[in-house]
PDB file of all heavy atoms in Angstrom:
ATOM      1  N   VAL A  94      55.909  -2.760 -34.318  1.00  0.00           N
ATOM      2  CA  VAL A  94      55.331  -1.760 -33.424  1.00  0.00           C
ATOM      3  C   VAL A  94      53.964  -2.263 -32.973  1.00  0.00           C
ATOM      4  O   VAL A  94      53.350  -3.117 -33.622  1.00  0.00           O
ATOM      5  CB  VAL A  94      55.169  -0.379 -34.104  1.00  0.00           C
ATOM      6  CG1 VAL A  94      56.524   0.252 -34.378  1.00  0.00           C
ATOM      7  CG2 VAL A  94      54.336  -0.475 -35.374  1.00  0.00           C
ATOM      8  N   ILE A  95      53.482  -1.730 -31.844  1.00  0.00           N
ATOM      9  CA  ILE A  95      52.149  -2.042 -31.341  1.00  0.00           C
ATOM     10  C   ILE A  95      51.199  -0.936 -31.781  1.00  0.00           C
ATOM     11  O   ILE A  95      51.447   0.245 -31.525  1.00  0.00           O
ATOM     12  CB  ILE A  95      52.142  -2.155 -29.807  1.00  0.00           C
ATOM     13  CG1 ILE A  95      53.079  -3.263 -29.336  1.00  0.00           C
ATOM     14  CG2 ILE A  95      50.717  -2.402 -29.305  1.00  0.00           C
ATOM     15  CD1 ILE A  95      52.631  -4.660 -29.694  1.00  0.00           C
ATOM     16  N   LEU A  96      50.111  -1.307 -32.437  1.00  0.00           N
ATOM     17  CA  LEU A  96      49.127  -0.336 -32.906  1.00  0.00           C
ATOM     18  C   LEU A  96      48.189   0.043 -31.753  1.00  0.00           C
ATOM     19  O   LEU A  96      47.695  -0.814 -31.030  1.00  0.00           O
ATOM     20  CB  LEU A  96      48.339  -0.895 -34.079  1.00  0.00           C
ATOM     21  CG  LEU A  96      49.168  -1.421 -35.256  1.00  0.00           C
ATOM     22  CD1 LEU A  96      48.267  -1.729 -36.461  1.00  0.00           C
ATOM     23  CD2 LEU A  96      50.278  -0.445 -35.653  1.00  0.00           C
ATOM     24  N   LEU A  97      47.947   1.335 -31.599  1.00  0.00           N
ATOM     25  CA  LEU A  97      47.276   1.864 -30.413  1.00  0.00           C
ATOM     26  C   LEU A  97      45.888   1.274 -30.195  1.00  0.00           C
ATOM     27  O   LEU A  97      45.608   0.701 -29.139  1.00  0.00           O
ATOM     28  CB  LEU A  97      47.180   3.397 -30.513  1.00  0.00           C
ATOM     29  CG  LEU A  97      46.399   4.099 -29.402  1.00  0.00           C
ATOM     30  CD1 LEU A  97      47.075   3.921 -28.056  1.00  0.00           C
ATOM     31  CD2 LEU A  97      46.221   5.584 -29.726  1.00  0.00           C
ATOM     32  N   TYR A  98      44.996   1.433 -31.153  1.00  0.00           N
ATOM     33  CA  TYR A  98      43.597   1.076 -30.922  1.00  0.00           C
ATOM     34  C   TYR A  98      43.327  -0.422 -31.058  1.00  0.00           C
ATOM     35  O   TYR A  98      42.439  -0.944 -30.394  1.00  0.00           O
ATOM     36  CB  TYR A  98      42.685   1.850 -31.877  1.00  0.00           C
ATOM     37  CG  TYR A  98      42.744   3.347 -31.701  1.00  0.00           C
ATOM     38  CD1 TYR A  98      42.914   4.190 -32.795  1.00  0.00           C
ATOM     39  CD2 TYR A  98      42.639   3.929 -30.436  1.00  0.00           C
ATOM     40  CE1 TYR A  98      42.972   5.568 -32.641  1.00  0.00           C
ATOM     41  CE2 TYR A  98      42.703   5.304 -30.276  1.00  0.00           C
ATOM     42  CZ  TYR A  98      42.870   6.126 -31.383  1.00  0.00           C
ATOM     43  OH  TYR A  98      42.923   7.482 -31.229  1.00  0.00           O
ATOM     44  N   SER A  99      44.070  -1.098 -31.904  1.00  0.00           N
ATOM     45  CA  SER A  99      43.836  -2.524 -32.121  1.00  0.00           C
ATOM     46  C   SER A  99      44.693  -3.403 -31.223  1.00  0.00           C
ATOM     47  O   SER A  99      44.334  -4.554 -30.948  1.00  0.00           O
ATOM     48  CB  SER A  99      44.099  -2.892 -33.584  1.00  0.00           C
ATOM     49  OG  SER A  99      45.466  -2.724 -33.891  1.00  0.00           O
ATOM     50  N   GLY A 100      45.842  -2.893 -30.777  1.00  0.00           N
ATOM     51  CA  GLY A 100      46.780  -3.696 -30.004  1.00  0.00           C
ATOM     52  C   GLY A 100      47.569  -4.671 -30.846  1.00  0.00           C
ATOM     53  O   GLY A 100      48.343  -5.469 -30.317  1.00  0.00           O
ATOM     54  N   ARG A 101      47.405  -4.613 -32.156  1.00  0.00           N
ATOM     55  CA  ARG A 101      48.088  -5.547 -33.057  1.00  0.00           C
ATOM     56  C   ARG A 101      49.567  -5.230 -33.155  1.00  0.00           C
ATOM     57  O   ARG A 101      49.960  -4.065 -33.182  1.00  0.00           O
ATOM     58  CB  ARG A 101      47.441  -5.468 -34.447  1.00  0.00           C
ATOM     59  CG  ARG A 101      47.911  -6.528 -35.422  1.00  0.00           C
ATOM     60  CD  ARG A 101      47.034  -6.555 -36.662  1.00  0.00           C
ATOM     61  NE  ARG A 101      47.277  -5.456 -37.586  1.00  0.00           N
ATOM     62  CZ  ARG A 101      46.338  -4.607 -38.009  1.00  0.00           C
ATOM     63  NH1 ARG A 101      45.091  -4.706 -37.577  1.00  0.00           N
ATOM     64  NH2 ARG A 101      46.648  -3.643 -38.863  1.00  0.00           N
ATOM     65  N   SER A 102      50.401  -6.275 -33.178  1.00  0.00           N
ATOM     66  CA  SER A 102      51.828  -6.133 -33.418  1.00  0.00           C
ATOM     67  C   SER A 102      52.057  -6.245 -34.914  1.00  0.00           C
ATOM     68  O   SER A 102      51.663  -7.228 -35.540  1.00  0.00           O
ATOM     69  CB  SER A 102      52.593  -7.217 -32.666  1.00  0.00           C
ATOM     70  OG  SER A 102      53.981  -7.132 -32.934  1.00  0.00           O
ATOM     71  N   GLN A 103      52.702  -5.235 -35.489  1.00  0.00           N
ATOM     72  CA  GLN A 103      52.831  -5.175 -36.946  1.00  0.00           C
ATOM     73  C   GLN A 103      54.223  -4.690 -37.332  1.00  0.00           C
ATOM     74  O   GLN A 103      54.833  -3.884 -36.625  1.00  0.00           O
ATOM     75  CB  GLN A 103      51.764  -4.226 -37.508  1.00  0.00           C
ATOM     76  CG  GLN A 103      51.744  -4.140 -39.016  1.00  0.00           C
ATOM     77  CD  GLN A 103      50.403  -3.667 -39.554  1.00  0.00           C
ATOM     78  OE1 GLN A 103      49.356  -4.040 -39.040  1.00  0.00           O
ATOM     79  NE2 GLN A 103      50.435  -2.844 -40.580  1.00  0.00           N
ATOM     80  N   GLY A 104      54.710  -5.174 -38.462  1.00  0.00           N
ATOM     81  CA  GLY A 104      56.041  -4.837 -38.920  1.00  0.00           C
ATOM     82  C   GLY A 104      56.283  -3.338 -39.008  1.00  0.00           C
ATOM     83  O   GLY A 104      55.444  -2.598 -39.521  1.00  0.00           O
ATOM     84  N   LYS A 105      57.430  -2.897 -38.515  1.00  0.00           N
ATOM     85  CA  LYS A 105      57.755  -1.473 -38.527  1.00  0.00           C
ATOM     86  C   LYS A 105      57.724  -0.876 -39.925  1.00  0.00           C
ATOM     87  O   LYS A 105      57.361   0.288 -40.111  1.00  0.00           O
ATOM     88  CB  LYS A 105      59.141  -1.254 -37.916  1.00  0.00           C
ATOM     89  CG  LYS A 105      59.220  -1.462 -36.424  1.00  0.00           C
ATOM     90  CD  LYS A 105      60.634  -1.210 -35.912  1.00  0.00           C
ATOM     91  CE  LYS A 105      60.711  -1.329 -34.398  1.00  0.00           C
ATOM     92  NZ  LYS A 105      62.088  -1.100 -33.887  1.00  0.00           N
ATOM     93  N   ASP A 106      58.120  -1.663 -40.909  1.00  0.00           N
ATOM     94  CA  ASP A 106      58.248  -1.135 -42.260  1.00  0.00           C
ATOM     95  C   ASP A 106      56.972  -1.257 -43.072  1.00  0.00           C
ATOM     96  O   ASP A 106      56.982  -1.014 -44.291  1.00  0.00           O
ATOM     97  CB  ASP A 106      59.398  -1.844 -42.984  1.00  0.00           C
ATOM     98  CG  ASP A 106      60.747  -1.532 -42.349  1.00  0.00           C
ATOM     99  OD1 ASP A 106      60.891  -0.428 -41.779  1.00  0.00           O
ATOM    100  OD2 ASP A 106      61.650  -2.388 -42.405  1.00  0.00           O
TER     101      ASP A 106
END
Side-chain angles (χ1 to χ4, degrees):
V94 291
I95 300 292
L96 307 190
L97 175 64
Y98 298 131
S99 66
R101 189 169 75 236
S102 177
Q103 183 157 321
K105 289 180 176 179
D106 294 331

